[in-house]
Amino acid sequence: QVQLVQSGAEVKKPGASVKVSCKASGYSFTNYLIHWVRQAPGQGLEWMGVINPSGGSTWYPQRFQGRVTMTRDTSTSTVYMELTSLRSEDTATYYCAREVEAPTANDALDIWGLGTMVTVPS
Amino acid sequence: DIQMTQSPSAMSASVGDRVTITCRASQGVNNYLAWFQQKPGEVPKRLIYAASSLQSGVPSRFRGSGSGTEFTLTISSLQPEDSATYYCLQHNSYPWTFGQGTKVEIK
């Protein structure tokens, strides 16, 4: 079935980096964009950016530019999200979710990964 | 950036009540608007896409409406399992933005 399988929980020191993976299965990997959304404990959802697995193009919001990098490996249908210079405020659950890659499809985030908890102790 | 303002931020209603949640965008998002339900400890689940299209498998008591800058999620008859936080998302333009969430509790 269609699923996005994420890597396991991480605990990182302030200033370190974390790389979270999201492996797609059950559908054509290059036909869907992958977005990353995070949620701090008890807080709302925050969009972190998107990667097009077909060509590797990315778009990040300004607040994450310079700290986040999204990459993909088409041979394993896996997308990676790396966040650097971690601080305690980055403690959150990080989700990947897909969007069909078509200009007017209007069909976003139908399938989500289970999330990866990243903890950065203060 | 487009700001999404959800109201109310929290509410309490009885089983069988009609519940309405509103999401206002700071500028038009066409109908690139989705609604998600998230229960504690669970992954967000899409309920509505394209402002008014019901996700397959979602009960018909959930209805999305609106266009332009104002959108509404209506639960026609609240059920105990609808206790959750609801989020809107605009995906008309980058950066995508979520509403701050509406927590719905059952009285």
Side-chain angles (χ1 to χ4, degrees):
Chain A
Q1 75 277 26
V2 175
Q3 57 181 349
L4 297 172
V5 178
Q6 297 186 224
S7 48
E10 304 261 14
V11 179
K12 295 290 183 181
K13 293 182 178 179
S17 300
V18 68
K19 193 169 186 177
V20 179
S21 68
C22 172
K23 182 175 175 61
S25 62
Y27 71 93
S28 177
F29 180 61
T30 54
N31 285 356
Y32 288 80
L33 310 181
I34 294 291
H35 297 258
W36 289 87
V37 175
R38 76 176 184 179
Q39 185 172 40
Q43 302 302 308
L45 302 171
E46 181 177 29
W47 184 76
M48 296 183 68
V50 58
I51 183 168
N52 186 336
S54 178
S57 61
T58 55
W59 203 103
Y60 311 130
Q62 189 171 13
R63 64 165 290 164
F64 291 110
Q65 284 181 8
R67 278 216 305 147
V68 71
T69 303
M70 297 176 189
T71 57
R72 94 291 190 213
D73 180 345
T74 55
S75 69
T76 60
S77 299
T78 302
V79 167
Y80 301 90
M81 186 282 298
E82 183 174 26
L83 189 62
T84 61
S85 303
L86 290 169
R87 36 212 188 227
S88 58
E89 309 90 270
D90 295 316
T91 293
T93 299
Y94 291 76
Y95 296 100
C96 61
R98 74 171 193 173
E99 174 198 11
V100 65
E101 208 285 306
T104 58
N106 203 342
D107 188 3
L109 307 190
D110 62 333
I111 301 293
W112 293 57
L114 293 182
T116 297
M117 181 68 204
V118 175
T119 302
V120 186
S122 54
Chain B
D1 298 1
I2 297 175
Q3 310 303 317
M4 302 300 291
T5 303
Q6 252 183 267
S7 60
S9 56
M11 64 180 302
S12 181
S14 300
V15 172
D17 282 354
R18 181 185 185 90
V19 167
T20 299
I21 300 168
T22 298
C23 207
R24 288 188 174 87
S26 60
Q27 61 191 78
V29 298
N30 298 300
N31 67 337
Y32 286 83
L33 192 288
W35 289 96
F36 297 86
Q37 175 194 64
Q38 187 180 32
K39 298 179 180 180
E42 296 187 6
V43 178
K45 171 187 172 184
R46 192 176 73 174
L47 300 176
I48 302 289
Y49 63 98
S52 60
S53 296
L54 189 67
Q55 177 70 32
S56 175
V58 173
S60 59
R61 63 181 179 272
F62 291 93
R63 178 176 176 267
S65 62
S67 64
T69 61
E70 187 155 336
F71 300 88
T72 299
L73 175 69
T74 301
I75 308 172
S76 60
S77 178
L78 190 68
Q79 299 301 303
E81 60 268 31
D82 301 334
S83 177
T85 300
Y86 295 83
Y87 297 93
C88 62
L89 165 71
Q90 73 79 19
H91 57 101
N92 182 66
S93 61
Y94 292 151
W96 287 10
T97 42
F98 287 92
Q100 75 272 28
T102 295
K103 187 173 184 179
V104 175
E105 293 184 332
I106 309 295
K107 282 183 185 173

